Amino acid sequence: MSEDKKQPPHLMEIPAASLDNEDEEIMFTPSGKEVASGKKTLPFSNWVPLLAGAMIGIILRLVFSGKPETAYTAMAGSFVLLVPMAVGATTVFVAERKRRRSWSFYIGGPIIANFLFVLGTMAIFIEGAICAIIIIPLFALVGALGGLLMGVICRTTNWPKQAVGSFVLLPLLLGIIPPGEPDLQRIAVLERTILVQSTPEQIWHQLHHAENIRQDEVGQAWMYRIGVPLPVAGVTHETATGLVRSIRMNKSVYFDQVSTDWVENQYVVWRYHFYPDSFPPNALDDHVMIGGRYFDILDTTYSLKPQSARTTELKIQMRYRVSTEFNWYADLIARVLITDFEEVILNFYQKRAVESDHHKTTSSMEVQASQ
């Protein structure tokens, strides 16, 4: 028996000329040799592997439409970590059936396919923009890993069909196991400080009377850029049990911040109170709902410390929780978004306090001048 007959088709070296001729279909002879079929491929055939991978992902996402407490939930680790690998593996498998692909394709092809997969879920309204933007980096990373593994399998083994089938079946087999209680919690505190050229009294007033908040004041925060509704106002009123700060945001979102621990002009600790209709439908994606199963802001503390007669240190501390089967990634995203928000909101209060001081000074000077 000749050496050619012993080698599986996908192990054969592909001549450089064949790689460059992307418009001509490559076929394998029974002996394993590659020959040009003479047939021209369709104009957009290079997209077929990418679309095939994306379609597998969309189908699996439709399967993983269970509620958080049931099997086949989209927040299960079997979906988030294994389905993008299946997308990447399918992309490489379909591409390799035509011709040998490069190592860069094993990485880049699955990344593009996963991007198309996420766009597809948005197009059929089963995924929101916030979740999509947050999850794309992870899907790209995991998908590239799946593509590389499939590339190695295609180059070194004779069972790529069985392998790609395993990539697709594995999340289905593991997804049938319903998630347990969210005991994989990670709780952390993030803080930022800023020096404000104003008095504690003036800053304290701004903390409790933030009205008519404009987009140009806070809209640069990344959480608002990716779709979280912008805040409109935050106004405090005193009740028999303590301070209550009413928060209103766009898309009819509203909730309260309640404090039983504060010292005027020094510090205030807010805990969050949500109502059944605090988040109307489509205001926030279910998977990133504040106070939900997977994410929560537990409390926020503002502290004021005088540094001089006209300078005050303003500090914000936010304690949050993430409860997922991939906390290493969820916590990273939470840290990025919360830290960025803290910096933006401190700048907001700094600017409002300074502007208020300037307005009062100007008004006082005008009154004196008129006298």
Side-chain angles (χ1 to χ4, degrees):
M1 183 178 292
S2 68
E3 290 298 320
D4 288 340
K5 292 182 179 180
K6 294 179 180 179
Q7 288 184 298
H10 53 272
L11 291 180
M12 298 297 294
E13 289 293 327
I14 301 178
S18 297
L19 287 174
D20 294 334
N21 191 4
E22 295 185 5
D23 292 332
E24 189 171 40
E25 184 177 356
I26 302 299
M27 299 185 66
F28 294 103
T29 66
S31 63
K33 291 183 178 180
E34 290 185 59
V35 296
S37 67
K39 299 179 181 178
K40 295 294 183 179
T41 59
L42 295 174
F44 300 102
S45 61
N46 288 334
W47 283 89
V48 171
L50 305 177
L51 296 176
M55 187 57 65
I56 286 293
I58 293 172
I59 292 172
L60 289 173
R61 176 61 180 88
L62 290 171
V63 174
F64 280 83
S65 297
K67 295 181 179 180
E69 300 82 9
T70 63
Y72 294 117
T73 171
M75 287 293 284
S78 53
F79 175 81
V80 174
L81 301 177
L82 296 181
V83 168
M85 293 187 71
V87 170
T90 301
T91 301
V92 170
F93 171 76
V94 174
E96 285 277 319
R97 288 177 64 85
K98 283 288 185 181
R99 59 185 177 86
R100 174 69 75 231
R101 301 302 173 118
S102 65
W103 291 101
S104 60
F105 178 87
Y106 297 157
I107 297 174
I111 290 176
I112 297 174
N114 271 285
F115 182 75
L116 295 175
F117 156 41
V118 174
L119 287 182
T121 61
M122 294 176 63
I124 59 177
F125 303 106
I126 58 174
E127 205 64 79
I130 299 175
C131 281
I133 294 171
I134 287 175
I135 207 63
I136 278 178
L138 178 59
F139 275 21
L141 175 65
V142 178
L145 177 60
L148 280 172
L149 290 174
M150 194 68 217
V152 171
I153 291 170
C154 288
R155 286 175 178 262
T156 61
T157 73
N158 196 27
W159 32 269
K161 287 184 180 180
Q162 297 90 325
V164 75
S166 299
F167 274 108
V168 175
L169 286 176
L170 187 58
L172 293 173
L173 293 175
L174 296 180
I176 200 171
I177 304 173
E181 291 299 316
D183 31 329
L184 295 175
Q185 296 189 3
R186 180 172 296 182
I187 296 175
V189 178
L190 297 173
E191 68 177 47
R192 285 291 183 273
T193 61
I194 192 172
L195 290 178
V196 183
Q197 300 300 313
S198 186
T199 63
E201 291 79 12
Q202 184 56 243
I203 299 172
W204 182 263
H205 176 80
Q206 296 301 325
L207 287 174
H208 296 281
H209 299 84
E211 300 182 84
N212 301 315
I213 301 173
R214 304 186 309 272
Q215 180 176 356
D216 63 285
E217 292 180 297
V218 297
Q220 65 271 34
W222 277 108
M223 66 168 57
Y224 301 131
R225 292 185 184 186
I226 66 175
V228 174
L230 285 163
V232 175
V235 179
T236 302
H237 56 278
E238 192 165 353
T239 68
T241 57
L243 299 179
V244 176
R245 189 171 187 243
S246 300
I247 305 296
R248 291 187 296 110
M249 306 174 73
N250 285 339
K251 297 186 178 180
S252 301
V253 172
Y254 78 100
F255 55 89
D256 290 337
Q257 294 176 319
V258 181
S259 178
T260 56
D261 184 14
W262 81 93
V263 174
E264 188 173 358
N265 301 326
Q266 293 186 30
Y267 72 87
V268 60
V269 181
W270 298 115
R271 293 187 178 275
Y272 292 76
H273 176 71
F274 300 103
Y275 300 92
D277 59 345
S278 282
F279 300 99
N282 302 319
L284 273 178
D285 296 350
D286 291 341
H287 302 147
V288 294
M289 191 78 69
I290 303 174
R293 179 184 177 93
Y294 307 110
F295 174 71
D296 195 12
I297 300 291
L298 302 178
D299 55 58
T300 299
T301 302
Y302 287 98
S303 304
L304 299 91
K305 184 178 181 182
Q307 300 296 303
S308 66
R310 298 293 300 175
T311 303
T312 305
E313 179 189 84
L314 175 61
K315 178 191 292 185
I316 182 175
Q317 295 173 299
M318 298 184 72
R319 191 163 61 100
Y320 69 94
R321 165 187 60 82
V322 292
S323 307
T324 70
E325 295 180 12
F326 43 95
N327 276 345
W328 60 273
Y329 182 76
D331 184 60
L332 173 63
I333 295 297
R335 285 177 176 273
V336 170
L337 294 179
I338 292 174
T339 299
D340 176 68
F341 167 78
E342 289 180 330
E343 293 177 353
V344 170
I345 204 66
L346 286 179
N347 286 325
F348 164 77
Y349 286 121
Q350 177 193 47
K351 185 176 180 180
R352 286 247 171 149
V354 171
E355 287 179 349
S356 179
D357 272 352
H358 177 72
H359 178 72
K360 286 185 176 181
T361 301
T362 302
S363 299
S364 177
M365 292 175 62
E366 290 175 350
V367 170
Q368 292 177 4
S370 65
Q371 294 176 351

